[in-house]
Amino acid sequence: MSSIERLIALAGPRAKQRVSLGSRTTYRVGGSVQALVTLSSVADALELWPVMRDCDLPVVMVGNGSNLLVADGRHNLIACRLEGE
């Protein structure tokens, strides 16, 4: 099992593999990322960070997609989205 697959398995519905980020932006254009992880608490971050780090991929934080432009193509990185209060 690859490190990305371990992340997806551990995170359950909080993570999705091969996700289009472009469709989540205001302009609806752009490419995809290896994984999109949604964190809604400090506990989520503490649980998932060690596994994300083990993936040896850059981790970028994204918001709700406004003020975000994503280049076309596949991006070898993990995007984290913060959710909640």
Side-chain angles (χ1 to χ4, degrees):
M1 179 182 288
S2 74
S3 54
I4 287 285
E5 289 169 334
R6 280 195 307 276
L7 172 62
I8 300 302
L10 175 65
R14 297 173 291 180
K16 294 186 172 88
Q17 194 171 3
R18 291 187 278 293
V19 174
S20 169
L21 270 191
S23 65
R24 298 170 186 272
T25 68
T26 302
Y27 294 109
R28 304 282 186 248
V29 296
S32 63
V33 294
Q34 286 289 336
L36 175 65
V37 178
T38 300
L39 304 173
S40 59
S41 68
V42 172
D44 282 350
L46 292 173
E47 176 188 8
L48 298 177
W49 176 250
V51 183
M52 287 190 283
R53 185 184 58 228
D54 288 346
C55 291
D56 279 336
L57 295 173
V59 177
V60 298
M61 302 303 289
V62 297
N64 289 326
S66 60
N67 299 322
L68 179 65
L69 291 175
V70 180
D72 288 336
R74 291 184 181 169
H75 303 285
N76 203 23
L77 58 87
I78 298 169
C80 284
R81 182 177 168 272
L82 301 178
E83 177 180 82
E85 300 175 18

